[in-house]
Each structure stands twice: as C-alpha cells, then as structure tokens.
Amino acid sequence: MPNSQPPINYQHNLIELLTLIEKIKYYYFMDPKLLNQAIEQFNITIEAYYSETNTHQHENIANPTLLLSPTASTAPFTTYQNLLHSLHQQPLHHFQRGEILCDLHERQRRIHQTYISILSKFNKL
C-alpha cells in the first residue's frame, strides 16, 4: 500500500525554523505583543512538526516496506526527530528573565547544525 502522506521535507522545515527564530530575535527589540505572537508561532510550529514526524515514524514502523534502506531514510529522520524532540521538550515560553536571546542563539545553532548534518547525509545518498 503506497504512503498517502508526502515525505517530510527536513531541509525546508529546518530553514523555516531558522526564519522563525530570526523573526523572534527581531521582535525581541520591538513590540512585546509581537514578540509573544512570534514565540507562540514558534511553539505551534515545533508542535506541528513534532507531531508530523511522530506520525511518520509510526507509519514506517507499521509498514517497513516504505523504507528505502536503513541508512537512506532513517539517518536524516532520526537526526531531525532528535532535534524536534529536544525543542519540543522545552518550549520558548519556559525562559527566565532576559535569557531568550541566549536560548534562541542556542536553538539556532542546533537547528543549523542539524540542517548541515541532514544536507550532508542526503548528499552521500
């Protein structure tokens, strides 16, 4: 039975997360209302991606014939899933007194490293 859901576009999703982080950094120095909206959008996006990858993972476990090969599809997926899991575990509203920029820089660094890692894995295929 063919997979009805399109594959996860890891690179696009990671670029989108980086863009959201840049927006939050911009709004940090601007209107608090816009900052709160940007933080909420980031958390919603992480939740959506996290749910999407969990669904994708369960489908692959239930129907292992969908996998091209163990390294071709699970390596980027596992890298991406680990990043989303860690971002999902600590939403952005759980920061303390002015530490949001440090948190955003750390998230940006990790998202960018994951993007480079996934890009490298796809290039090796």
Side-chain angles (χ1 to χ4, degrees):
M1 175 179 279
N3 188 357
S4 61
Q5 292 205 351
I8 297 170
N9 187 339
Y10 308 105
Q11 295 171 23
H12 172 77
N13 289 355
L14 293 174
I15 289 170
E16 189 173 329
L17 292 176
L18 286 168
T19 304
L20 285 172
I21 284 176
E22 289 303 317
K23 283 182 184 177
I24 294 169
K25 285 160 70 173
Y26 173 77
Y27 288 134
Y28 181 73
F29 297 104
M30 309 297 267
D31 182 13
K33 181 180 172 187
L34 292 176
L35 173 62
N36 288 335
Q37 288 174 351
I39 289 171
E40 194 57 37
Q41 182 58 48
F42 181 83
N43 289 335
I44 288 169
T45 302
I46 291 294
E47 178 67 34
Y49 290 161
Y50 184 73
S51 298
E52 178 184 337
T53 57
N54 276 338
T55 300
H56 185 71
Q57 184 177 37
H58 291 303
E59 286 175 358
N60 287 340
I61 290 169
N63 191 356
T65 59
L66 294 175
L67 296 176
L68 299 173
S69 73
T71 57
S73 59
T74 59
F77 177 80
T78 302
T79 303
Y80 178 73
Q81 178 68 19
N82 288 342
L83 172 72
L84 290 182
H85 180 73
S86 65
L87 294 176
H88 178 72
Q89 291 301 309
Q90 186 177 11
L92 267 179
H93 61 272
H94 290 165
F95 60 88
Q96 298 175 358
R97 290 182 262 131
E99 294 179 2
I100 188 171
L101 288 181
C102 294
D103 186 31
L104 286 172
H105 284 296
E106 176 60 21
R107 286 170 187 259
Q108 185 175 34
R109 184 189 65 76
R110 290 175 52 214
I111 290 170
H112 185 71
Q113 283 180 336
T114 302
Y115 170 76
I116 297 299
S117 172
I118 287 173
L119 188 62
S120 170
K121 289 174 184 176
F122 277 120
N123 288 337
K124 290 178 184 176
L125 296 178

